[in-house]
């Protein structure tokens, strides 16, 4: 297949033991994983091997200072059993953008593609078609220096693991608009897919869960007056017939789903405005009936519709839309991802 990556195949695949109609996402991984170490200033020893535990030093900097970044992408299988990635160039660019912000060395482009395509090819039986099925791919990098100084690690581990996925978040979400906690602050790391961004989100999200909400809608850290993201997704609002989403700044993650939905909306004639929206504007729109839809957008759930939100004790519920933009955009995006619709922008990448 290629010379550079060393491949150690599993003796016997675990796939026969898997019930693909009944498993919980994230608890099941494919037969193989990719591993590559950064040592002495170089990415070395790229290897695909059976999925297994890794051993790291207790002093590794990821464990103490959280030097870790990741990506999330999916592979889809069409009805002719061809496997496709969706805009992998975007994930490649973004993991290196995250790397720069977290003082992690960038990963070489050719090796990224080779690792990704070789791994997915080897485990392609794990990519199922139909019913929103896909293979979730998780590239990540951790600081792995055998020392405890509070400086960037000298050694790193880049890995890719893969997990079969079905569509989740099928029910409509009830969300709480943050007025105290923040996900990201200006000048911080919110635009990077840094592991710590998630850790910092767990506690306020759990408090919201305890009050009966599914997610937190993050607002700007300074005034809590502008809407930024929905949990770990970008967020869209439909006011009358205009779709609104915030511009990507250093506090908003530049989602691949977000930018694809913006393009699809334009392609199918939906008016899109990229602008900052105030919580007050959202509440007014809910009160006067012009707020039609809210939805989150991200690789894992694709589009998650939100039908109720609360802010400072005021609760709002949205009416069901017959002509839902969320549904239309989602079916167009999934249609492109799964090779059922024409790919005008060359987003699909054949494995
Ligand atoms: C990953 C992520 C998203 C979605 O990005 P996609 O590329 O669409 O998957 C949105 N917000 C945050 C905070 C994220 O970490």
């Amino acid at each position: 297949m290629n010379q550079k990556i060393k491949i150690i195949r599993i003796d016997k695949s675990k796939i026969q033991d898997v019930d693909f109609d009944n498993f919980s996402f994230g608890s099941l991984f494919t037969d193989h994983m990719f591993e590559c170490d950064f040592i002495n200033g170089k990415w070395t020893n790229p290897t695909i091997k059976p999925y297994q535990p890794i051993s790291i030093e207790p002093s590794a900097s990821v464990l103490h200072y959280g030097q870790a970044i990741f990506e999330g992408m999916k592979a889809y299988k069409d009805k002719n059993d061809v496997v496709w990635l969706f805009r992998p160039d975007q994930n490649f660019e973004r993991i290196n953008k995250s790397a720069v912000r977290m003082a992690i060395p960038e990963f070489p482009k050719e090796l990224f593609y080779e690792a990704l395509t070789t791994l997915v090819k080897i485990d392609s039986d794990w990519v199922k078609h139909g019913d929103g099925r896909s293979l979730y791919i998780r590239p990540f990098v951790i600081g792995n220096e055998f020392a405890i100084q509070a400086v960037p690690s000298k050694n790193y581990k880049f890995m890719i693991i893969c997990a079969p996925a079905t569509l989740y978040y099928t029910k409509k979400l009830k969300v709480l608009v943050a007025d105290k906690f923040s996900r990201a602050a200006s000048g911080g790391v919110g635009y990077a897919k840094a592991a710590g961004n998630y850790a910092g989100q767990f506690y306020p999200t759990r408090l919201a869960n305890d009050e009966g909400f599914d997610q937190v809608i993050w607002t700007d850290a300074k005034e809590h007056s502008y809407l930024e993201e929905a949990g770990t997704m970008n967020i869209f609002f439909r006011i009358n017939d205009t779709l609104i989403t915030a511009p990507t700044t250093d506090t908003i993650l530049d989602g691949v789903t977000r930018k694809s939905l913006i393009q699809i909306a334009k392609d199918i004639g939906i008016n899109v405005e990229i602008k900052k929206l105030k919580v007050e504007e959202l509440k007014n729109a809910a009160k006067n009936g012009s707020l039609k839809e809210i939805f989150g957008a991200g690789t894992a759930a694709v589009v998650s519709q939100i039908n109720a939100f609360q802010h400072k004790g005021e609760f709002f519920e949205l009416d069901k839309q017959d002509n839902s933009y969320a549904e239309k955009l989602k079916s167009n995006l999934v249609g492109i991802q799964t090779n059922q619709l024409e790919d005008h922008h060359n987003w699909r990448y054949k494995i």
Side-chain angles (χ1 to χ4, degrees):
M1 204 175 285
N2 60 69
Q3 302 306 311
K4 263 192 279 168
I5 298 176
K6 182 175 169 193
I7 297 172
I8 305 163
R9 285 182 184 261
I10 200 159
D11 291 332
K12 188 176 174 298
S13 173
K14 308 174 282 201
I15 200 162
Q16 291 83 1
D17 306 330
V18 176
D19 177 358
F20 279 91
D21 292 320
N22 189 19
F23 68 94
S24 67
F25 172 69
S27 62
L28 177 66
F29 294 90
T30 62
D31 287 327
H32 298 89
M33 64 185 195
F34 174 78
E35 189 175 351
C36 184
D37 289 309
F38 189 83
I39 300 166
N40 296 328
K42 277 207 308 266
W43 288 105
T44 57
N45 199 20
T47 308
I48 288 173
K49 57 165 108 169
Y51 179 90
Q52 62 189 278
I54 54 169
S55 131
I56 58 172
E57 293 278 330
S59 60
S61 54
V62 62
L63 302 176
H64 303 273
Y65 307 119
Q67 214 188 355
I69 55 171
F70 67 95
E71 267 305 320
M73 53 203 299
K74 279 179 174 174
Y76 308 85
K77 193 174 259 178
D78 69 21
K79 59 181 191 316
N80 298 317
D81 283 344
V82 179
V83 178
W84 303 88
L85 296 175
F86 184 71
R87 307 187 75 175
D89 55 316
Q90 299 292 317
N91 300 93
F92 171 72
E93 280 171 27
R94 192 169 65 190
I95 200 168
N96 280 342
K97 205 162 110 181
S98 301
V100 169
R101 181 61 184 86
M102 302 306 284
I104 291 172
E106 293 178 58
F107 199 73
K109 185 170 185 172
E110 203 181 312
L111 191 55
F112 180 85
Y113 277 87
E114 211 170 296
L116 198 60
T117 53
T118 311
L119 181 63
V120 174
K121 244 180 224 167
I122 287 179
D123 281 344
S124 64
D125 286 348
W126 292 80
V127 196
K128 300 294 178 191
H129 47 69
D131 291 344
R133 285 163 162 174
S134 61
L135 185 70
Y136 184 83
I137 305 167
R138 166 56 59 88
F140 63 100
V141 191
I142 56 171
N144 192 23
E145 185 169 356
F146 315 149
I148 211 164
Q149 291 99 329
V151 294
S153 182
K154 284 194 203 69
N155 304 330
Y156 296 84
K157 200 178 269 301
F158 176 101
M159 298 190 68
I160 306 176
I161 56 175
C162 304
T166 48
L167 266 194
Y168 65 103
Y169 282 160
T170 41
K171 75 175 178 103
K172 294 195 178 168
L173 306 179
K174 183 172 132 186
V175 298
L176 182 65
V177 180
D179 62 10
K180 176 174 169 225
F181 292 102
S182 304
R183 188 193 81 89
S186 181
V189 301
Y191 70 92
K193 253 179 137 63
N197 285 339
Y198 280 64
Q201 229 172 282
F202 291 156
Y203 174 66
T205 303
R206 192 168 66 193
L207 293 181
N209 293 157
D210 290 346
E211 284 185 66
F213 298 98
D214 300 298
Q215 286 284 350
V216 174
I217 303 299
W218 302 105
T219 50
D220 70 285
K222 202 167 155 214
E223 307 169 30
H224 294 292
S225 57
Y226 290 96
L227 295 148
E228 295 201 327
E229 293 209 55
T232 57
M233 297 178 284
N234 293 113
I235 191 163
F236 286 83
F237 307 94
R238 173 184 170 192
I239 295 181
N240 288 319
D241 285 338
T242 298
L243 200 58
I244 299 168
T245 191
T248 51
T249 58
D250 64 353
T251 60
I252 295 182
L253 193 114
D254 188 4
V256 182
T257 314
R258 174 189 172 278
K259 66 176 77 169
S260 305
L261 293 181
I262 292 170
Q263 184 60 53
I264 290 170
K266 290 177 179 166
D267 291 348
I268 63 176
I270 292 173
N271 185 35
V272 189
E273 275 185 41
I274 315 292
K275 66 169 191 186
K276 289 167 79 171
L277 190 72
K278 282 192 162 171
V279 183
E280 285 312 314
E281 292 175 86
L282 182 73
K283 286 163 78 172
N284 288 337
K287 283 174 193 161
N288 69 27
S290 59
L291 178 65
K292 307 290 186 200
E293 292 178 69
I294 309 175
F295 56 91
T299 295
V302 190
V303 166
S304 298
Q305 292 186 252
I306 293 167
N307 69 349
F309 71 94
Q310 182 166 307
H311 178 249
K312 291 188 174 164
E314 278 189 278
F315 184 73
F316 301 88
E317 229 167 338
L318 276 66
D319 294 332
K320 190 181 171 342
Q321 292 296 316
D322 289 333
N323 172 27
S324 158
Y325 283 7
E327 280 168 24
K328 209 184 284 185
L329 290 168
K330 180 178 184 167
S331 66
N332 272 279
L333 178 58
V334 171
I336 297 169
Q337 289 168 332
T338 54
N339 193 22
Q340 290 172 289
L341 290 178
E342 212 175 313
D343 180 20
H344 297 291
H345 303 285
N346 279 317
W347 286 340
R348 276 194 301 265
Y349 184 93
K350 195 172 179 170
I351 289 277

